[in-house]
Amino acid sequence: MNESKSQYNPISSFSEYIAIIDDIIYRWKADLNESITPDLWFRGQSRDLPLFPKIFRPTINPDTGRYCKYKELSIITMFTALYRNYTTERFLEKTSEFYSFMQHYGVPTRLLDWTESAAFALFFAINDVVDYENNQPVVWVMNPGALNYLTTQKKNPFGPFVCD
């Protein structure tokens, strides 16, 4: 799509939401001259905030009531020392699986959760919203294939392939 952030009017039904998703797919197919439906990723947020991983978002210190930043190295060190007490899962290196494991348990990481399901993203967008007047839930949509193409100029940045 040509614009970096599309704006749609607030929706009031699931069918409206699906119609918007269908419109996004149609427009992306047209913009990219594609005949197949692109694989899209969705992220639901209870507020319209920038896409920052939790580790980079300011948080309120419960002891002081002041905003502060997370100390990533301290968090990773503490989690590494303690997680073995609660699970049989073991990690030899700090891999993406390790960070996914941390995030699964609510530890702030530099990962953002995405899903291939528009319905799941909508659930996460509206699940925790209490005040719709001050917190507008949003669903972000990303085309990872198009993003790869923009950054590598290759349709498949993992090629070429050797086939038997």
Side-chain angles (χ1 to χ4, degrees):
M1 287 179 26
N2 295 332
E3 64 266 16
S4 61
K5 185 175 179 182
S6 295
Q7 295 289 326
Y8 287 92
N9 292 327
I11 61 169
S12 59
S13 71
F14 187 70
S15 60
E16 269 185 77
Y17 175 70
I18 295 303
I20 289 171
I21 298 300
D22 286 343
D23 180 57
I24 291 170
I25 291 170
Y26 173 80
R27 288 173 41 197
W28 258 331
K29 283 171 68 171
D31 284 351
L32 299 171
N33 289 327
E34 295 284 334
S35 59
I36 60 171
T37 301
D39 293 323
L40 301 180
W41 290 356
F42 303 89
R43 176 176 172 76
Q45 295 184 169
S46 59
R47 292 180 301 189
D48 189 4
L49 297 173
L51 293 174
F52 287 120
K54 191 173 184 178
I55 195 80
F56 299 124
R57 293 182 220 147
T59 188
I60 295 177
N61 181 328
D63 296 330
T64 64
R66 296 175 50 206
Y67 277 99
C68 57
K69 295 179 181 178
Y70 290 108
K71 295 181 181 176
E72 185 176 24
L73 183 58
S74 298
I75 290 171
I76 292 169
T77 302
M78 185 179 299
F79 186 81
T80 302
L82 296 176
Y83 85 92
R84 291 184 173 116
N85 295 326
Y86 303 101
T87 181
T88 58
E89 190 75 43
R90 297 294 179 256
F91 301 95
L92 299 177
E93 299 177 29
K94 305 296 187 282
T95 61
S96 58
E97 288 83 12
F98 176 78
Y99 291 103
S100 295
F101 187 78
M102 287 176 63
Q103 184 150 338
H104 176 75
Y105 285 97
V107 178
T109 70
R110 49 181 62 226
L111 302 179
L112 275 177
D113 287 323
W114 291 85
T115 179
E116 293 179 336
S117 169
F120 281 147
L122 180 62
F123 170 79
F124 285 110
I126 63 175
N127 186 44
D128 291 331
V129 178
V130 177
D131 179 8
Y132 282 97
E133 283 188 31
N134 297 316
N135 292 312
Q136 184 66 53
V138 296
V139 174
W140 291 83
V141 184
M142 176 175 61
N143 182 337
L147 182 60
N148 282 339
Y149 181 75
L150 286 172
T151 57
T152 66
Q153 298 302 305
K154 296 179 182 178
K155 289 267 185 188
N156 184 344
F158 304 108
F161 300 103
V162 177
C163 300
D164 293 334

